[in-house]
Amino acid sequence: MKRDDGLLTAIDVGSSKICCLAAELRDGALRYRGHGIAESRGMRRGVVSELGPASASIREAVEVAEKVAGAMIARAVVGVGGPHIRGVNTSGGITLGSRMREITSEEVRAAVDRARSVSLEADREVLHLLPQQFLLDHQAGIHDPVGMIGSRLEVNLHISTCGAGLVQSVVTAANRAGVEVQDTIYEGVASAEGVLSADERELGICLADIGAGSTEIIVYYEGAVAHTAVVPIGGDHFTNDLAVGLHISVANAERLKIEHGNAVVTSVPQLDQIELPSDGEHEPRMVSLRLVAEIVEARATELMKMVRDDLRNGGVLEALGAGCVLTGGGALMPGMLDAAESLLRVQARVGSPAPISRLPQQLGSPEFASALGMLLYTHRKMQSRAGEETSLAARIRTRLFAGSL
């Protein structure tokens, strides 16, 4: 199998499954090439708990994707999530001198570097630098100051940070699986890339990616990231609640959650029942679906209260003009939208990822929003970098031409 350097590959290392998704660039657009899904082993709540099993799971997913794509996968971007992710807003700027001059990308980078120079704990590192707005000579609301004229450039910046050792463990697991990690991306940023519209980002929107081990949160306002955080509750907590509350195995609880879970008790008829199969310790028995819903509703309420409190503490709860979007596998459970709307007091919808060419229908589900979003995010960064290089070359040519006159 030959290596294809034109492949863009994303690996979503989740607590329940590993997804490897590969695409290629054709005429400037992404086209699906292959994917592989493997059961997640050695992962717990978004972080590596056992390096060997985690690496083996990644290798398994990559090998399946390689067979479908017909090419060897040597490099990939990897998603990062879990309760260790934290965000902080900061600002800083530079003075360009006593006389006004044209702003270049070098000045933009210098202003961002000044804003990012905040004190971080020893075990933390920067995952993303996300400019919110630039201020040129105290004029706010500028998204791209390159080419403009001024004497002082400032930037309001959102910094997404992570536990350095925890992220390095994910990178090491991928490396041991034979994959070079090109970049690490916060799963909330990735999901937003594939799910949110430009209007929603402008009006103010909260995206909650409900995974198996945790829920990644990202808030956009006026087109920029205003807040990122992680709530330590995910789909596995619903499953464990059912297993404990009904005295059944985790496997049976997972099936019960998927097939009959509902986060709104009153939407389940009072007399509806289901037979629970024998699990070796208990005989088959009937259980009320309302009891199942009561257990699920309690955990859904706790999750949305934690989301609400986090948004309030971050000062963005009142900035959700476009409401809330739920994505990830947990968003598919009936009643989750009702729980979100009831506690956040905004309109909510389920977010499915924007499709790319030839994408299989099954990958259009919310549970694959992060993997697909990583590809879209990487593609956009490539286009942005190419645009900057083209713009720089054009400015150089213009100046050379002007100097020759």
Side-chain angles (χ1 to χ4, degrees), residues 17-78:
K17 70 177 185 304
I18 310 291
C19 177
C20 177
L21 178 60
E24 63 182 353
L25 281 175
R26 283 293 179 92
D27 300 324
L30 288 173
R31 188 173 77 174
Y32 167 85
R33 279 286 297 273
H35 78 282
I37 299 173
E39 179 187 355
S40 183
R41 300 181 297 274
M43 297 293 299
R44 184 175 177 83
R45 296 184 181 179
V47 300
V48 176
S49 58
E50 294 182 80
L51 195 58
S55 180
S57 293
I58 293 173
R59 183 67 247 167
E60 183 180 337
V62 170
E63 287 177 348
V64 175
E66 287 177 331
K67 290 179 181 177
V68 178
M72 185 178 72
I73 294 173
R75 298 177 297 175
V77 295
V78 175

Side-chain angles (χ1 to χ4, degrees), residues 8-14 17-22 34-38 43 54-55 57-63 65-66 73-81 170-171 173-175 177-187 190 368 370-375 378:
L8 290 181
T9 305
I11 301 178
D12 181 11
V13 185
K17 70 177 185 304
I18 310 291
C19 177
C20 177
L21 178 60
H35 78 282
I37 299 173
M43 297 293 299
S55 180
S57 293
I58 293 173
R59 183 67 247 167
E60 183 180 337
V62 170
E63 287 177 348
E66 287 177 331
I73 294 173
R75 298 177 297 175
V77 295
V78 175
V80 176
V170 176
V171 173
N175 292 159
V179 178
E180 175 192 348
V181 177
Q182 297 173 286
D183 197 6
T184 51
I185 303 172
Y186 171 48
E187 291 176 353
F368 297 103
S370 181
L372 190 54
M374 277 188 273
L375 289 182
T378 303

Side-chain angles (χ1 to χ4, degrees), residues 149-226:
I149 305 296
S151 59
R152 178 165 176 79
L153 180 65
E154 298 170 274
V155 59
N156 293 336
L157 185 68
H158 183 84
I159 304 177
S160 183
T161 70
C162 59
L166 298 175
V167 171
Q168 186 56 50
S169 295
V170 176
V171 173
T172 301
N175 292 159
R176 288 193 178 185
V179 178
E180 175 192 348
V181 177
Q182 297 173 286
D183 197 6
T184 51
I185 303 172
Y186 171 48
E187 291 176 353
V189 169
S191 296
E193 189 73 28
V195 168
L196 300 182
S197 69
D199 285 346
E200 287 175 328
R201 297 171 194 241
E202 191 67 32
L203 294 171
I205 191 79
C206 170
L207 180 135
D209 186 342
I210 309 173
S214 59
T215 296
E216 275 67 40
I217 298 171
I218 186 166
V219 176
Y220 283 82
Y221 182 70
E222 294 185 348
V225 175

